[in-house]
Amino acid sequence: MAQSKQIKSGKKLRSSYVTTTISIALVLFLLGIIGLLSLNAQRLSQYVKENIGFTILIKDNSREAEVKRLEKLLATSPFIKQTEYVDKERAAKELTEELGEDFVDFLGYNPLLSAIEVKVFAEYANPDSIAVVEQVIMEFPQVKEVLYQKNLIHLVHQNVNRISLVLLIFAVLLLLIAIALINNTIRLSVYSKRFLIRTMQLVGATKGFIRQPFLVTSILHGFVGAALAIVLLSGMIYVSSNELAGVIGFHNMDLILILFGIVIACGVLMTLLSTFFAVNKYLNLRTDDLYF
């Protein structure tokens, strides 16, 4: 009977350790996501801005050699990151695929114009700079019109700083929530051992002696939880790198190592401090208060 109780007690103890570790890992994983976004905020801002481009429509009577020369000239400009020439035939083919029917056969001719798709560097992706770039491009005789979404560029430029501020506030709030969740998890774990703490006090154990195994265990929980969170974050980074190449990925190892170091430090420090204060609470409680 006694052996059966010991086995059950051991299973409950292991289950408690596993639950605590998983809870810590999930909280650190969420904290790591916000940390990843915060560390990559500048790259994310640059990525968004540099994916806002405009289209240069070419006059129908322009020769292809002149257009190619214009494209090369634009590609070497200090404000333009990328150019892509789309001739009338390719534009008609892409539009036909989108519409699901051949509009050229229906109309009897191709009404589309050749175009050059342009993307500018992030520092020029604002309304004032785009307007100056538009004026420069319109001076070329082959250019008929420059098309871009002025409202979208203005909106992105206006909201990038706001988004960064909101992200920072959200990160702070999540950090506070993470501290509260880990603290409550540790407190419940220590609460289940409050009578063991009292028993050790009754046999003459010092506070430091009683506190030591709890602190060592908390460091282990924090480190293992952080390791699990890092595994989850690595998987998320790997998946995200396919969608956000150049922004989030393992090529930014400096930021990733900083993030992983922060996750480990947060995991160990938060569990250590929470355990320290939780154990101290029950070390200083009267015996009658242990039943509440």
Side-chain angles (χ1 to χ4, degrees):
M1 179 68 71
Q3 186 176 3
S4 176
K5 288 183 178 180
Q6 288 179 353
I7 293 173
K8 289 182 179 179
S9 177
K11 288 182 177 179
K12 288 182 179 179
L13 190 60
R14 285 193 296 271
S15 176
S16 173
Y17 286 160
V18 171
T19 302
T20 301
T21 303
I22 291 176
S23 299
I24 293 170
L26 292 176
V27 172
L28 291 175
F29 172 62
L30 293 176
L31 193 61
I33 292 175
I34 297 300
L36 182 65
L37 293 176
S38 300
L39 290 174
N40 284 279
Q42 183 61 36
R43 281 189 172 92
L44 285 169
S45 171
Q46 182 176 345
Y47 177 81
V48 171
K49 288 182 177 180
E50 290 186 348
N51 274 275
I52 297 175
F54 54 87
T55 301
I56 303 173
L57 296 180
I58 306 299
K59 293 178 180 178
D60 208 14
N61 58 353
S62 299
R63 291 185 298 178
E64 188 171 347
E66 294 176 345
V67 177
K68 288 288 186 179
R69 194 179 304 114
L70 172 60
E71 183 190 6
K72 290 181 180 179
L73 184 61
L74 291 172
T76 58
S77 299
F79 48 81
I80 291 179
K81 178 186 177 184
Q82 179 183 339
T83 62
E84 183 182 4
Y85 175 60
V86 180
D87 58 30
K88 332 177 31 168
E89 289 72 21
R90 177 181 167 185
K93 182 179 178 181
E94 291 177 354
L95 185 57
T96 298
E97 291 175 355
E98 292 180 8
L99 296 176
E101 58 180 319
D102 193 344
F103 68 95
V104 175
D105 287 344
F106 177 77
L107 296 175
Y109 70 101
N110 183 1
L112 301 180
L113 297 174
S114 298
I116 300 176
E117 301 290 340
V118 176
K119 291 182 180 178
V120 298
F121 287 104
E123 54 267 30
Y124 295 98
N126 58 75
D128 295 335
S129 297
I130 291 290
V132 173
V133 172
E134 180 185 8
Q135 290 178 358
V136 172
I137 293 175
M138 286 299 298
E139 293 178 359
F140 291 96
Q142 299 88 356
V143 176
K144 180 179 181 180
E145 189 178 357
V146 176
L147 300 177
Y148 64 95
Q149 296 179 331
K150 296 182 181 180
N151 292 336
L152 177 61
I153 293 175
H154 180 75
L155 188 63
V156 169
H157 179 70
Q158 187 179 32
N159 289 331
V160 161
N161 292 332
R162 293 180 182 176
I163 292 172
S164 299
L165 179 61
V166 170
L167 188 63
L168 177 62
I169 294 173
F170 187 64
V172 172
L173 289 176
L174 187 59
L175 178 61
L176 295 176
I177 293 171
I179 292 173
L181 288 174
I182 290 178
N183 183 59
N184 287 337
T185 302
I186 297 296
R187 284 168 64 90
L188 288 172
S189 178
V190 174
Y191 174 80
S192 65
K193 302 178 184 65
R194 65 194 186 282
F195 291 110
L196 175 62
I197 293 173
R198 176 60 64 190
T199 301
M200 295 175 71
Q201 283 183 307
L202 292 175
V203 298
T206 63
K207 290 184 178 181
F209 181 83
I210 297 172
R211 194 185 295 118
Q212 182 179 355
F214 286 96
L215 296 180
V216 171
T217 302
S218 72
I219 293 174
L220 181 62
H221 282 165
F223 186 80
V224 174
L228 291 175
I230 286 173
V231 171
L232 293 174
L233 283 170
S234 298
M236 194 204 73
I237 292 171
Y238 176 77
V239 173
S240 300
S241 62
N242 295 328
E243 299 295 331
L244 297 173
V247 181
I248 298 176
F250 289 105
H251 55 278
N252 301 323
M253 284 305 299
D254 53 341
L255 292 179
I256 291 176
L257 290 176
I258 290 173
L259 174 65
F260 289 173
I262 292 173
V263 170
I264 293 173
C266 286
V268 172
L269 187 61
M270 285 192 289
T271 53
L272 185 64
L273 290 176
S274 297
T275 302
F276 179 83
F277 290 115
V279 173
N280 274 358
K281 174 185 176 181
Y282 293 106
L283 285 174
N284 297 321
L285 277 182
R286 295 179 304 170
T287 302
D288 293 340
D289 294 331
L290 296 174
Y291 295 91
F292 297 98

